Amino acid sequence: MRLGLGTGSTAKHFVELLGTRVREGLDIIGVPTSEATRADAIRCGIRLTTLDNIDRLDLTVDGADEIDPDLNLIKGGGGALLREKIVAAASDRMVVIADDSKWVETLGRFPLPIEVIPFGLGATQRLVAKAFAECGISGQMGVRKGADGHVFVTDSGHWIVDAHLGRIADAPRLAQSLASIPGVVEHGLFIGLASIALLAGVEGIRIFERR
Ligand code: A5P
């Protein structure tokens, strides 16, 4: 199979377990969704390729920051949302793996990551605020900083604005609005991309399929 390899602490477990299977002879090739995952996959002996070399991926396995009952997601807590979305959109199926703390009735408790071009940030943020208002939501926005206090820069050289919205009543509508703003490279709403979510909790694993 041709696999998309997700990013984050949960996806890292998947990559490591996949590496064990590869060393036992499993024949797969992967496309990583971040430089961190690329390094992990190489360390685990997983053969890698790019989306320039293959047409489609059979499956992507990735984590999420929030999952709602329609299997719409917020992603990007780790800053990899752009490559994660490109890889998910190139995949026949996306399987989300998470613990059940990520399950929510309505998206928005987790701050929504929005990947932006640094140029014209003020103008971009004003249009983002307008999009929020048109969708009946509001909240504080801030440019993400790294642990060193400097602005966090994504693998593709962009910045991330985190929007604290609380509740996104109409996530598909907001996703469309944000996608049309010049200066917004991508946002962390993954609408209609996930096919299955595997949620681990104290009572075992629950499996949800997209309705
Ligand atoms: C990375 O940018 C994110 O989309 C992650 O997939 C998400 O933040 C989940 O990460 P954890 O598995 O570490 O919670």
Side-chain angles (χ1 to χ4, degrees):
M1 292 179 86
R2 298 155 302 176
L3 294 178
L5 307 174
T7 295
S9 56
T10 317
K12 190 180 168 78
H13 289 298
F14 172 75
V15 170
E16 280 169 7
L17 291 167
L18 185 65
T20 306
R21 296 286 304 276
V22 164
R23 287 191 295 280
E24 290 165 0
L26 186 72
D27 181 21
I28 56 101
I29 191 159
V31 172
T33 53
S34 64
E35 294 305 317
T37 298
R38 178 192 305 283
D40 286 340
I42 289 170
R43 183 173 45 77
C44 293
I46 297 171
R47 204 155 52 94
L48 296 178
T49 185
T50 71
L51 292 174
D52 302 315
N53 293 326
I54 52 174
D55 288 342
R56 294 284 302 165
L57 293 166
D58 297 297
L59 178 69
T60 283
V61 180
D62 203 346
D65 299 303
E66 280 189 350
I67 308 162
D68 79 6
D70 293 325
L71 301 196
N72 291 329
L73 316 171
I74 287 184
K75 284 184 55 57
L81 64 128
L82 174 59
R83 294 189 188 186
E84 289 173 335
K85 199 179 278 189
I86 291 170
V87 169
S91 303
D92 292 341
R93 283 182 298 155
M94 178 190 193
V95 173
V96 179
I97 51 173
D99 66 80
D100 59 12
S101 69
K102 308 289 184 69
W103 184 259
V104 295
E105 273 308 309
T106 308
L107 298 176
R109 192 179 57 201
F110 191 90
L112 177 65
I114 303 169
E115 187 157 345
V116 295
I117 300 274
F119 176 86
L121 178 65
T124 302
Q125 282 187 294
R126 282 188 286 280
L127 288 176
V128 168
K130 192 164 165 249
F132 290 160
E134 283 166 4
C135 291
I137 47 184
S138 63
Q140 295 295 312
M141 274 183 267
V143 175
R144 187 180 298 182
K145 301 268 176 60
D148 58 4
H150 293 110
V151 173
F152 175 89
V153 179
T154 69
D155 281 347
S156 300
H158 307 129
W159 292 359
I160 288 184
V161 170
D162 289 304
H164 299 254
L165 300 170
R167 186 172 188 279
I168 304 170
D170 190 343
R173 180 175 172 204
L174 180 61
Q176 275 197 341
S177 300
L178 291 175
S180 69
I181 297 174
V184 169
V185 182
E186 196 45 86
H187 55 78
L189 289 169
F190 282 49
I191 308 296
L193 285 169
S195 335
I196 298 178
L198 307 179
L199 293 193
V202 285
E203 285 164 13
I205 294 173
R206 288 183 297 158
I207 301 175
F208 296 88
E209 289 195 39
R210 185 142 55 89
R211 298 188 281 223

